[in-house]
């Protein structure tokens, strides 16, 4: 049990996929103007990563491995991810029109968000059992949402601050991301 707790906190804080591997930078910069959009995107990513990870894990070990079609994992995983994103998009469009409009083009781009595919492939590459896969598939997107939320709160404050013209927009955002990476990386000794 302690190994699962360590796996969770290590991937939320220390080995945060956004700050250590720089995956998911497009939504980080694009959807981080408002905290409400950041939370909505984070929840959508959690749902897509968790759902697609469970389904791809089951498909891999119950279909691809017995049929010796492991080389089809990438295309299978991409199709599952695309289907999940379409499902999330339809649900948001029907039940949360405001969030659907706030996320805009970034919602269908979850399909191409490299974090989603990274997690599904990493579950197989690292040889996780089912419990480890579940924890990892919840930890990575939770870390993504945490960083997205913190980043959005900082950007909301930066919009009200007096920043030199050369640093406005993405330059100051990337500087903030670098500082956040240093802060999160300093937690390595705790986990």
């Amino acid at each position: 049990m302690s190994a699962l707790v360590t796996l969770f906190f290590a991937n939320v804080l220390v080995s945060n996929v956004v700050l250590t591997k720089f995956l998911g930078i497009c939504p980080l910069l694009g959807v981080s103007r408002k905290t409400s959009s950041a939370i909505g995107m984070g929840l959508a990513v959690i749902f897509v990563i968790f759902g697609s990870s469970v389904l791809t894990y089951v498909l891999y070990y119950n279909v691809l491995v017995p049929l010796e079609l492991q080389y089809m994992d990438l295309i299978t995983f991409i199709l599952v991810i695309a289907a999940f994103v379409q499902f999330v998009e339809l649900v948001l469009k029907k039940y949360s029109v405001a969030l659907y409009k706030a996320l805009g083009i970034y919602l269908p781009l979850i399909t191409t968000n490299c974090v989603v595919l990274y997690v599904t492939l990493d579950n197989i590459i690292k040889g996780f059992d089912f419990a480890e896969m579940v924890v990892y598939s919840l930890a990575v997107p939770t870390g993504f949402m945490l960083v997205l939320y913190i980043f959005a709160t900082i950007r909301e404050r930066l919009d009200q601050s007096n920043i030199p013209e050369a640093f406005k927009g993405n330059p100051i955002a990337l500087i903030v991301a670098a500082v956040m990476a240093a802060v999160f990386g300093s937690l390595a000794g705790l986990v």
Side-chain angles (χ1 to χ4, degrees), residues 110-157:
I110 293 176
T111 303
T112 60
N113 186 342
C114 45
V115 175
V116 182
L117 185 59
Y118 171 81
V119 173
T120 57
L121 288 172
D122 218 25
N123 286 324
I124 304 303
I125 292 168
K126 290 185 176 179
F128 287 148
D129 62 25
F130 192 79
E132 291 170 328
M133 180 275 302
V134 167
V135 169
Y136 186 73
S137 298
L138 287 173
V140 172
T142 300
F144 177 82
M145 186 171 92
L146 176 68
V147 167
L148 197 61
Y149 179 77
I150 293 170
F151 196 69
T153 59
I154 293 170
R155 285 190 80 176
E156 284 180 350
R157 295 192 76 184

mmCIF file of all heavy atoms in Angstrom, residues 110-157:
data_model
loop_
_atom_site.group_PDB
_atom_site.id
_atom_site.type_symbol
_atom_site.label_atom_id
_atom_site.label_comp_id
_atom_site.label_asym_id
_atom_site.label_seq_id
_atom_site.Cartn_x
_atom_site.Cartn_y
_atom_site.Cartn_z
ATOM 1 N N ILE A 110 -7.380 17.524 -26.728
ATOM 2 C CA ILE A 110 -6.978 16.517 -25.738
ATOM 3 C C ILE A 110 -6.595 15.235 -26.468
ATOM 4 O O ILE A 110 -5.722 14.495 -26.024
ATOM 5 C CB ILE A 110 -8.104 16.252 -24.713
ATOM 6 C CG1 ILE A 110 -8.345 17.476 -23.845
ATOM 7 C CG2 ILE A 110 -7.753 15.061 -23.827
ATOM 8 C CD1 ILE A 110 -9.511 17.319 -22.888
ATOM 9 N N THR A 111 -7.226 15.002 -27.612
ATOM 10 C CA THR A 111 -6.898 13.808 -28.399
ATOM 11 C C THR A 111 -5.419 13.779 -28.739
ATOM 12 O O THR A 111 -4.784 12.731 -28.705
ATOM 13 C CB THR A 111 -7.726 13.780 -29.705
ATOM 14 O OG1 THR A 111 -9.098 13.829 -29.359
ATOM 15 C CG2 THR A 111 -7.447 12.529 -30.505
ATOM 16 N N THR A 112 -4.867 14.935 -29.073
ATOM 17 C CA THR A 112 -3.455 14.998 -29.459
ATOM 18 C C THR A 112 -2.564 15.429 -28.303
ATOM 19 O O THR A 112 -1.365 15.644 -28.514
ATOM 20 C CB THR A 112 -3.261 15.968 -30.648
ATOM 21 O OG1 THR A 112 -3.712 17.279 -30.260
ATOM 22 C CG2 THR A 112 -4.010 15.474 -31.853
ATOM 23 N N ASN A 113 -3.137 15.577 -27.109
ATOM 24 C CA ASN A 113 -2.322 15.922 -25.948
ATOM 25 C C ASN A 113 -1.416 14.735 -25.647
ATOM 26 O O ASN A 113 -1.873 13.637 -25.340
ATOM 27 C CB ASN A 113 -3.221 16.232 -24.751
ATOM 28 C CG ASN A 113 -2.452 16.737 -23.549
ATOM 29 O OD1 ASN A 113 -1.243 16.572 -23.451
ATOM 30 N ND2 ASN A 113 -3.156 17.348 -22.631
ATOM 31 N N CYS A 114 -0.141 14.969 -25.740
ATOM 32 C CA CYS A 114 0.821 13.885 -25.606
ATOM 33 C C CYS A 114 0.817 13.257 -24.216
ATOM 34 O O CYS A 114 1.233 12.122 -24.058
ATOM 35 C CB CYS A 114 2.211 14.375 -25.983
ATOM 36 S SG CYS A 114 2.636 15.963 -25.267
ATOM 37 N N VAL A 115 0.299 13.956 -23.211
ATOM 38 C CA VAL A 115 0.234 13.383 -21.866
ATOM 39 C C VAL A 115 -0.675 12.153 -21.867
ATOM 40 O O VAL A 115 -0.369 11.147 -21.234
ATOM 41 C CB VAL A 115 -0.284 14.427 -20.845
ATOM 42 C CG1 VAL A 115 -0.458 13.797 -19.479
ATOM 43 C CG2 VAL A 115 0.652 15.610 -20.759
ATOM 44 N N VAL A 116 -1.778 12.226 -22.579
ATOM 45 C CA VAL A 116 -2.742 11.129 -22.585
ATOM 46 C C VAL A 116 -2.107 9.864 -23.173
ATOM 47 O O VAL A 116 -2.162 8.788 -22.576
ATOM 48 C CB VAL A 116 -4.020 11.520 -23.362
ATOM 49 C CG1 VAL A 116 -5.026 10.385 -23.326
ATOM 50 C CG2 VAL A 116 -4.626 12.802 -22.806
ATOM 51 N N LEU A 117 -1.506 9.995 -24.322
ATOM 52 C CA LEU A 117 -0.860 8.845 -24.952
ATOM 53 C C LEU A 117 0.349 8.380 -24.145
ATOM 54 O O LEU A 117 0.597 7.181 -24.014
ATOM 55 C CB LEU A 117 -0.447 9.177 -26.393
ATOM 56 C CG LEU A 117 0.140 8.034 -27.206
ATOM 57 C CD1 LEU A 117 -0.857 6.881 -27.314
ATOM 58 C CD2 LEU A 117 0.533 8.524 -28.593
ATOM 59 N N TYR A 118 1.077 9.326 -23.569
ATOM 60 C CA TYR A 118 2.240 8.984 -22.744
ATOM 61 C C TYR A 118 1.849 8.059 -21.596
ATOM 62 O O TYR A 118 2.503 7.048 -21.343
ATOM 63 C CB TYR A 118 2.886 10.272 -22.201
ATOM 64 C CG TYR A 118 3.953 10.037 -21.170
ATOM 65 C CD1 TYR A 118 5.241 9.685 -21.559
ATOM 66 C CD2 TYR A 118 3.676 10.146 -19.810
ATOM 67 C CE1 TYR A 118 6.229 9.462 -20.613
ATOM 68 C CE2 TYR A 118 4.651 9.922 -18.862
ATOM 69 C CZ TYR A 118 5.919 9.582 -19.263
ATOM 70 O OH TYR A 118 6.892 9.351 -18.333
ATOM 71 N N VAL A 119 0.762 8.393 -20.892
ATOM 72 C CA VAL A 119 0.350 7.592 -19.734
ATOM 73 C C VAL A 119 -0.082 6.201 -20.170
ATOM 74 O O VAL A 119 0.303 5.205 -19.551
ATOM 75 C CB VAL A 119 -0.772 8.302 -18.947
ATOM 76 C CG1 VAL A 119 -1.329 7.394 -17.855
ATOM 77 C CG2 VAL A 119 -0.249 9.588 -18.337
ATOM 78 N N THR A 120 -0.868 6.110 -21.238
ATOM 79 C CA THR A 120 -1.335 4.787 -21.665
ATOM 80 C C THR A 120 -0.174 3.898 -22.094
ATOM 81 O O THR A 120 -0.163 2.705 -21.783
ATOM 82 C CB THR A 120 -2.363 4.898 -22.813
ATOM 83 O OG1 THR A 120 -1.787 5.599 -23.904
ATOM 84 C CG2 THR A 120 -3.630 5.592 -22.356
ATOM 85 N N LEU A 121 0.789 4.462 -22.778
ATOM 86 C CA LEU A 121 1.960 3.679 -23.195
ATOM 87 C C LEU A 121 2.870 3.364 -22.008
ATOM 88 O O LEU A 121 3.424 2.266 -21.918
ATOM 89 C CB LEU A 121 2.740 4.418 -24.279
ATOM 90 C CG LEU A 121 2.088 4.479 -25.654
ATOM 91 C CD1 LEU A 121 2.870 5.407 -26.577
ATOM 92 C CD2 LEU A 121 1.975 3.096 -26.258
ATOM 93 N N ASP A 122 3.020 4.331 -21.102
ATOM 94 C CA ASP A 122 3.902 4.141 -19.953
ATOM 95 C C ASP A 122 3.393 3.034 -19.031
ATOM 96 O O ASP A 122 4.190 2.330 -18.408
ATOM 97 C CB ASP A 122 4.033 5.458 -19.184
ATOM 98 C CG ASP A 122 5.430 5.686 -18.652
ATOM 99 O OD1 ASP A 122 6.387 5.123 -19.227
ATOM 100 O OD2 ASP A 122 5.571 6.432 -17.661
ATOM 101 N N ASN A 123 2.076 2.893 -18.928
ATOM 102 C CA ASN A 123 1.513 1.797 -18.125
ATOM 103 C C ASN A 123 2.004 0.442 -18.621
ATOM 104 O O ASN A 123 2.268 -0.462 -17.832
ATOM 105 C CB ASN A 123 -0.020 1.826 -18.165
ATOM 106 C CG ASN A 123 -0.597 2.931 -17.329
ATOM 107 O OD1 ASN A 123 -0.079 3.266 -16.279
ATOM 108 N ND2 ASN A 123 -1.685 3.512 -17.795
ATOM 109 N N ILE A 124 2.117 0.295 -19.918
ATOM 110 C CA ILE A 124 2.568 -0.965 -20.515
ATOM 111 C C ILE A 124 4.085 -1.094 -20.419
ATOM 112 O O ILE A 124 4.613 -2.131 -20.016
ATOM 113 C CB ILE A 124 2.110 -1.065 -21.991
ATOM 114 C CG1 ILE A 124 0.595 -0.906 -22.111
ATOM 115 C CG2 ILE A 124 2.607 -2.346 -22.630
ATOM 116 C CD1 ILE A 124 -0.237 -1.880 -21.304
ATOM 117 N N ILE A 125 4.796 -0.020 -20.768
ATOM 118 C CA ILE A 125 6.264 -0.046 -20.775
ATOM 119 C C ILE A 125 6.820 -0.339 -19.381
ATOM 120 O O ILE A 125 7.763 -1.117 -19.235
ATOM 121 C CB ILE A 125 6.819 1.289 -21.329
ATOM 122 C CG1 ILE A 125 6.484 1.418 -22.813
ATOM 123 C CG2 ILE A 125 8.315 1.404 -21.085
ATOM 124 C CD1 ILE A 125 6.728 2.801 -23.383
ATOM 125 N N LYS A 126 6.228 0.264 -18.353
ATOM 126 C CA LYS A 126 6.720 0.070 -16.986
ATOM 127 C C LYS A 126 6.252 -1.247 -16.377
ATOM 128 O O LYS A 126 6.669 -1.595 -15.279
ATOM 129 C CB LYS A 126 6.300 1.243 -16.106
ATOM 130 C CG LYS A 126 7.031 2.525 -16.451
ATOM 131 C CD LYS A 126 6.699 3.637 -15.512
ATOM 132 C CE LYS A 126 7.542 4.861 -15.862
ATOM 133 N NZ LYS A 126 7.252 6.003 -14.994
ATOM 134 N N GLY A 127 5.383 -1.966 -17.072
ATOM 135 C CA GLY A 127 4.928 -3.269 -16.599
ATOM 136 C C GLY A 127 4.094 -3.209 -15.330
ATOM 137 O O GLY A 127 4.154 -4.108 -14.494
ATOM 138 N N PHE A 128 3.302 -2.166 -15.189
ATOM 139 C CA PHE A 128 2.460 -2.021 -14.003
ATOM 140 C C PHE A 128 1.414 -3.126 -13.923
ATOM 141 O O PHE A 128 0.891 -3.567 -14.938
ATOM 142 C CB PHE A 128 1.725 -0.678 -14.026
ATOM 143 C CG PHE A 128 2.595 0.522 -13.749
ATOM 144 C CD1 PHE A 128 2.319 1.740 -14.346
ATOM 145 C CD2 PHE A 128 3.672 0.454 -12.889
ATOM 146 C CE1 PHE A 128 3.094 2.854 -14.094
ATOM 147 C CE2 PHE A 128 4.465 1.556 -12.628
ATOM 148 C CZ PHE A 128 4.171 2.761 -13.230
ATOM 149 N N ASP A 129 1.137 -3.553 -12.695
ATOM 150 C CA ASP A 129 -0.035 -4.411 -12.514
ATOM 151 C C ASP A 129 -1.261 -3.494 -12.507
ATOM 152 O O ASP A 129 -1.141 -2.280 -12.623
ATOM 153 C CB ASP A 129 0.080 -5.260 -11.244
ATOM 154 C CG ASP A 129 0.156 -4.439 -9.964
ATOM 155 O OD1 ASP A 129 -0.333 -3.283 -9.932
ATOM 156 O OD2 ASP A 129 0.703 -4.950 -8.970
ATOM 157 N N PHE A 130 -2.458 -4.073 -12.355
ATOM 158 C CA PHE A 130 -3.682 -3.277 -12.499
ATOM 159 C C PHE A 130 -3.776 -2.159 -11.457
ATOM 160 O O PHE A 130 -4.132 -1.025 -11.777
ATOM 161 C CB PHE A 130 -4.924 -4.174 -12.436
ATOM 162 C CG PHE A 130 -6.175 -3.456 -12.855
ATOM 163 C CD1 PHE A 130 -6.462 -3.254 -14.190
ATOM 164 C CD2 PHE A 130 -7.058 -2.969 -11.901
ATOM 165 C CE1 PHE A 130 -7.609 -2.576 -14.590
ATOM 166 C CE2 PHE A 130 -8.212 -2.295 -12.284
ATOM 167 C CZ PHE A 130 -8.492 -2.098 -13.633
ATOM 168 N N ALA A 131 -3.438 -2.460 -10.194
ATOM 169 C CA ALA A 131 -3.517 -1.449 -9.133
ATOM 170 C C ALA A 131 -2.538 -0.305 -9.385
ATOM 171 O O ALA A 131 -2.890 0.876 -9.225
ATOM 172 C CB ALA A 131 -3.245 -2.087 -7.774
ATOM 173 N N GLU A 132 -1.316 -0.640 -9.773
ATOM 174 C CA GLU A 132 -0.329 0.397 -10.075
ATOM 175 C C GLU A 132 -0.769 1.240 -11.265
ATOM 176 O O GLU A 132 -0.597 2.460 -11.271
ATOM 177 C CB GLU A 132 1.033 -0.237 -10.364
ATOM 178 C CG GLU A 132 1.685 -0.869 -9.166
ATOM 179 C CD GLU A 132 2.903 -1.700 -9.529
ATOM 180 O OE1 GLU A 132 2.927 -2.288 -10.636
ATOM 181 O OE2 GLU A 132 3.828 -1.766 -8.699
ATOM 182 N N MET A 133 -1.359 0.598 -12.269
ATOM 183 C CA MET A 133 -1.852 1.324 -13.440
ATOM 184 C C MET A 133 -2.942 2.313 -13.046
ATOM 185 O O MET A 133 -2.958 3.452 -13.505
ATOM 186 C CB MET A 133 -2.374 0.333 -14.483
ATOM 187 C CG MET A 133 -2.924 0.951 -15.758
ATOM 188 S SD MET A 133 -4.649 1.470 -15.707
ATOM 189 C CE MET A 133 -5.487 -0.028 -15.291
ATOM 190 N N VAL A 134 -3.856 1.888 -12.176
ATOM 191 C CA VAL A 134 -4.938 2.769 -11.728
ATOM 192 C C VAL A 134 -4.371 3.968 -10.981
ATOM 193 O O VAL A 134 -4.741 5.120 -11.239
ATOM 194 C CB VAL A 134 -5.954 1.990 -10.856
ATOM 195 C CG1 VAL A 134 -6.886 2.930 -10.118
ATOM 196 C CG2 VAL A 134 -6.741 1.019 -11.715
ATOM 197 N N VAL A 135 -3.449 3.728 -10.061
ATOM 198 C CA VAL A 135 -2.853 4.820 -9.285
ATOM 199 C C VAL A 135 -2.084 5.770 -10.196
ATOM 200 O O VAL A 135 -2.226 6.998 -10.107
ATOM 201 C CB VAL A 135 -1.937 4.256 -8.172
ATOM 202 C CG1 VAL A 135 -1.106 5.351 -7.529
ATOM 203 C CG2 VAL A 135 -2.775 3.530 -7.132
ATOM 204 N N TYR A 136 -1.269 5.221 -11.078
ATOM 205 C CA TYR A 136 -0.480 6.046 -11.997
ATOM 206 C C TYR A 136 -1.386 6.847 -12.929
ATOM 207 O O TYR A 136 -1.137 8.018 -13.198
ATOM 208 C CB TYR A 136 0.452 5.138 -12.800
ATOM 209 C CG TYR A 136 1.425 5.862 -13.692
ATOM 210 C CD1 TYR A 136 2.510 6.539 -13.157
ATOM 211 C CD2 TYR A 136 1.281 5.842 -15.076
ATOM 212 C CE1 TYR A 136 3.411 7.193 -13.969
ATOM 213 C CE2 TYR A 136 2.180 6.490 -15.900
ATOM 214 C CZ TYR A 136 3.242 7.167 -15.336
ATOM 215 O OH TYR A 136 4.129 7.820 -16.145
ATOM 216 N N SER A 137 -2.470 6.223 -13.389
ATOM 217 C CA SER A 137 -3.391 6.877 -14.324
ATOM 218 C C SER A 137 -4.243 7.946 -13.647
ATOM 219 O O SER A 137 -4.867 8.749 -14.328
ATOM 220 C CB SER A 137 -4.291 5.844 -14.993
ATOM 221 O OG SER A 137 -3.505 4.943 -15.738
ATOM 222 N N LEU A 138 -4.292 7.944 -12.348
ATOM 223 C CA LEU A 138 -4.935 9.033 -11.606
ATOM 224 C C LEU A 138 -3.921 10.078 -11.157
ATOM 225 O O LEU A 138 -4.228 11.267 -11.111
ATOM 226 C CB LEU A 138 -5.685 8.482 -10.393
ATOM 227 C CG LEU A 138 -6.974 7.730 -10.695
ATOM 228 C CD1 LEU A 138 -7.526 7.077 -9.433
ATOM 229 C CD2 LEU A 138 -8.011 8.655 -11.316
ATOM 230 N N ALA A 139 -2.706 9.645 -10.832
ATOM 231 C CA ALA A 139 -1.685 10.564 -10.328
ATOM 232 C C ALA A 139 -1.213 11.545 -11.395
ATOM 233 O O ALA A 139 -1.120 12.751 -11.137
ATOM 234 C CB ALA A 139 -0.492 9.777 -9.779
ATOM 235 N N VAL A 140 -0.906 11.056 -12.585
ATOM 236 C CA VAL A 140 -0.368 11.934 -13.630
ATOM 237 C C VAL A 140 -1.354 13.035 -14.007
ATOM 238 O O VAL A 140 -0.981 14.216 -14.020
ATOM 239 C CB VAL A 140 0.102 11.121 -14.858
ATOM 240 C CG1 VAL A 140 0.472 12.042 -16.003
ATOM 241 C CG2 VAL A 140 1.284 10.235 -14.487
ATOM 242 N N PRO A 141 -2.629 12.719 -14.305
ATOM 243 C CA PRO A 141 -3.532 13.819 -14.640
ATOM 244 C C PRO A 141 -3.884 14.709 -13.443
ATOM 245 O O PRO A 141 -4.177 15.893 -13.620
ATOM 246 C CB PRO A 141 -4.773 13.125 -15.198
ATOM 247 C CG PRO A 141 -4.736 11.753 -14.664
ATOM 248 C CD PRO A 141 -3.282 11.418 -14.503
ATOM 249 N N THR A 142 -3.832 14.162 -12.228
ATOM 250 C CA THR A 142 -4.045 15.003 -11.048
ATOM 251 C C THR A 142 -2.909 16.010 -10.922
ATOM 252 O O THR A 142 -3.143 17.191 -10.630
ATOM 253 C CB THR A 142 -4.145 14.134 -9.778
ATOM 254 O OG1 THR A 142 -5.244 13.229 -9.926
ATOM 255 C CG2 THR A 142 -4.334 14.973 -8.536
ATOM 256 N N GLY A 143 -1.688 15.565 -11.167
ATOM 257 C CA GLY A 143 -0.554 16.482 -11.182
ATOM 258 C C GLY A 143 -0.679 17.516 -12.289
ATOM 259 O O GLY A 143 -0.359 18.690 -12.104
ATOM 260 N N PHE A 144 -1.174 17.070 -13.446
ATOM 261 C CA PHE A 144 -1.406 17.988 -14.564
ATOM 262 C C PHE A 144 -2.412 19.061 -14.158
ATOM 263 O O PHE A 144 -2.199 20.257 -14.381
ATOM 264 C CB PHE A 144 -1.915 17.197 -15.770
ATOM 265 C CG PHE A 144 -2.265 18.025 -16.962
ATOM 266 C CD1 PHE A 144 -1.284 18.444 -17.842
ATOM 267 C CD2 PHE A 144 -3.579 18.394 -17.214
ATOM 268 C CE1 PHE A 144 -1.598 19.214 -18.955
ATOM 269 C CE2 PHE A 144 -3.902 19.156 -18.311
ATOM 270 C CZ PHE A 144 -2.911 19.575 -19.189
ATOM 271 N N MET A 145 -3.522 18.645 -13.527
ATOM 272 C CA MET A 145 -4.541 19.605 -13.109
ATOM 273 C C MET A 145 -4.021 20.528 -12.018
ATOM 274 O O MET A 145 -4.310 21.728 -12.028
ATOM 275 C CB MET A 145 -5.800 18.887 -12.621
ATOM 276 C CG MET A 145 -6.935 19.851 -12.321
ATOM 277 S SD MET A 145 -8.501 19.042 -12.007
ATOM 278 C CE MET A 145 -8.436 18.876 -10.244
ATOM 279 N N LEU A 146 -3.241 20.012 -11.092
ATOM 280 C CA LEU A 146 -2.667 20.836 -10.029
ATOM 281 C C LEU A 146 -1.786 21.931 -10.620
ATOM 282 O O LEU A 146 -1.922 23.107 -10.266
ATOM 283 C CB LEU A 146 -1.866 19.968 -9.052
ATOM 284 C CG LEU A 146 -1.126 20.711 -7.943
ATOM 285 C CD1 LEU A 146 -2.131 21.327 -6.971
ATOM 286 C CD2 LEU A 146 -0.171 19.773 -7.219
ATOM 287 N N VAL A 147 -0.910 21.558 -11.520
ATOM 288 C CA VAL A 147 -0.028 22.542 -12.154
ATOM 289 C C VAL A 147 -0.840 23.540 -12.971
ATOM 290 O O VAL A 147 -0.591 24.742 -12.933
ATOM 291 C CB VAL A 147 1.045 21.847 -13.028
ATOM 292 C CG1 VAL A 147 1.764 22.827 -13.924
ATOM 293 C CG2 VAL A 147 2.038 21.125 -12.135
ATOM 294 N N LEU A 148 -1.826 23.053 -13.707
ATOM 295 C CA LEU A 148 -2.674 23.921 -14.510
ATOM 296 C C LEU A 148 -3.408 24.928 -13.626
ATOM 297 O O LEU A 148 -3.479 26.114 -13.951
ATOM 298 C CB LEU A 148 -3.666 23.065 -15.302
ATOM 299 C CG LEU A 148 -4.370 23.685 -16.483
ATOM 300 C CD1 LEU A 148 -3.379 24.130 -17.550
ATOM 301 C CD2 LEU A 148 -5.344 22.683 -17.096
ATOM 302 N N TYR A 149 -3.935 24.488 -12.495
ATOM 303 C CA TYR A 149 -4.649 25.382 -11.588
ATOM 304 C C TYR A 149 -3.715 26.419 -10.955
ATOM 305 O O TYR A 149 -4.028 27.607 -10.930
ATOM 306 C CB TYR A 149 -5.365 24.573 -10.500
ATOM 307 C CG TYR A 149 -6.097 25.459 -9.527
ATOM 308 C CD1 TYR A 149 -7.304 26.038 -9.892
ATOM 309 C CD2 TYR A 149 -5.582 25.721 -8.265
ATOM 310 C CE1 TYR A 149 -7.982 26.873 -9.010
ATOM 311 C CE2 TYR A 149 -6.255 26.547 -7.378
ATOM 312 C CZ TYR A 149 -7.446 27.129 -7.760
ATOM 313 O OH TYR A 149 -8.107 27.955 -6.893
ATOM 314 N N ILE A 150 -2.583 25.973 -10.438
ATOM 315 C CA ILE A 150 -1.621 26.908 -9.834
ATOM 316 C C ILE A 150 -1.156 27.918 -10.876
ATOM 317 O O ILE A 150 -1.081 29.125 -10.612
ATOM 318 C CB ILE A 150 -0.428 26.148 -9.221
ATOM 319 C CG1 ILE A 150 -0.876 25.321 -8.016
ATOM 320 C CG2 ILE A 150 0.683 27.113 -8.828
ATOM 321 C CD1 ILE A 150 0.179 24.360 -7.503
ATOM 322 N N PHE A 151 -0.865 27.421 -12.061
ATOM 323 C CA PHE A 151 -0.410 28.279 -13.152
ATOM 324 C C PHE A 151 -1.485 29.308 -13.508
ATOM 325 O O PHE A 151 -1.179 30.477 -13.744
ATOM 326 C CB PHE A 151 -0.061 27.398 -14.351
ATOM 327 C CG PHE A 151 0.767 28.060 -15.400
ATOM 328 C CD1 PHE A 151 2.084 28.404 -15.159
ATOM 329 C CD2 PHE A 151 0.236 28.324 -16.650
ATOM 330 C CE1 PHE A 151 2.860 29.001 -16.132
ATOM 331 C CE2 PHE A 151 0.998 28.927 -17.639
ATOM 332 C CZ PHE A 151 2.316 29.266 -17.370
ATOM 333 N N ALA A 152 -2.755 28.893 -13.537
ATOM 334 C CA ALA A 152 -3.852 29.809 -13.864
ATOM 335 C C ALA A 152 -4.007 30.889 -12.792
ATOM 336 O O ALA A 152 -4.242 32.061 -13.124
ATOM 337 C CB ALA A 152 -5.151 29.037 -14.032
ATOM 338 N N THR A 153 -3.865 30.504 -11.521
ATOM 339 C CA THR A 153 -3.990 31.514 -10.466
ATOM 340 C C THR A 153 -2.859 32.529 -10.556
ATOM 341 O O THR A 153 -3.075 33.727 -10.355
ATOM 342 C CB THR A 153 -4.009 30.871 -9.066
ATOM 343 O OG1 THR A 153 -2.813 30.129 -8.861
ATOM 344 C CG2 THR A 153 -5.213 29.990 -8.873
ATOM 345 N N ILE A 154 -1.672 32.064 -10.878
ATOM 346 C CA ILE A 154 -0.531 32.983 -11.034
ATOM 347 C C ILE A 154 -0.759 33.892 -12.241
ATOM 348 O O ILE A 154 -0.522 35.098 -12.164
ATOM 349 C CB ILE A 154 0.789 32.204 -11.148
ATOM 350 C CG1 ILE A 154 1.108 31.499 -9.828
ATOM 351 C CG2 ILE A 154 1.929 33.132 -11.564
ATOM 352 C CD1 ILE A 154 2.257 30.520 -9.900
ATOM 353 N N ARG A 155 -1.227 33.322 -13.346
ATOM 354 C CA ARG A 155 -1.458 34.142 -14.549
ATOM 355 C C ARG A 155 -2.554 35.173 -14.336
ATOM 356 O O ARG A 155 -2.481 36.283 -14.868
ATOM 357 C CB ARG A 155 -1.776 33.258 -15.741
ATOM 358 C CG ARG A 155 -0.510 32.570 -16.254
ATOM 359 C CD ARG A 155 -0.727 31.889 -17.543
ATOM 360 N NE ARG A 155 -0.682 32.840 -18.646
ATOM 361 C CZ ARG A 155 -0.776 32.480 -19.915
ATOM 362 N NH1 ARG A 155 -0.941 31.220 -20.236
ATOM 363 N NH2 ARG A 155 -0.726 33.370 -20.866
ATOM 364 N N GLU A 156 -3.585 34.833 -13.559
ATOM 365 C CA GLU A 156 -4.627 35.816 -13.250
ATOM 366 C C GLU A 156 -4.044 36.995 -12.487
ATOM 367 O O GLU A 156 -4.398 38.139 -12.733
ATOM 368 C CB GLU A 156 -5.760 35.175 -12.444
ATOM 369 C CG GLU A 156 -6.686 34.314 -13.264
ATOM 370 C CD GLU A 156 -7.797 33.680 -12.449
ATOM 371 O OE1 GLU A 156 -7.769 33.742 -11.187
ATOM 372 O OE2 GLU A 156 -8.708 33.094 -13.064
ATOM 373 N N ARG A 157 -3.126 36.716 -11.585
ATOM 374 C CA ARG A 157 -2.470 37.801 -10.832
ATOM 375 C C ARG A 157 -1.507 38.571 -11.714
ATOM 376 O O ARG A 157 -1.369 39.788 -11.573
ATOM 377 C CB ARG A 157 -1.765 37.238 -9.614
ATOM 378 C CG ARG A 157 -2.781 36.637 -8.628
ATOM 379 C CD ARG A 157 -2.203 36.332 -7.332
ATOM 380 N NE ARG A 157 -2.037 37.587 -6.612
ATOM 381 C CZ ARG A 157 -1.476 37.670 -5.435
ATOM 382 N NH1 ARG A 157 -1.042 36.588 -4.837
ATOM 383 N NH2 ARG A 157 -1.344 38.824 -4.818
#
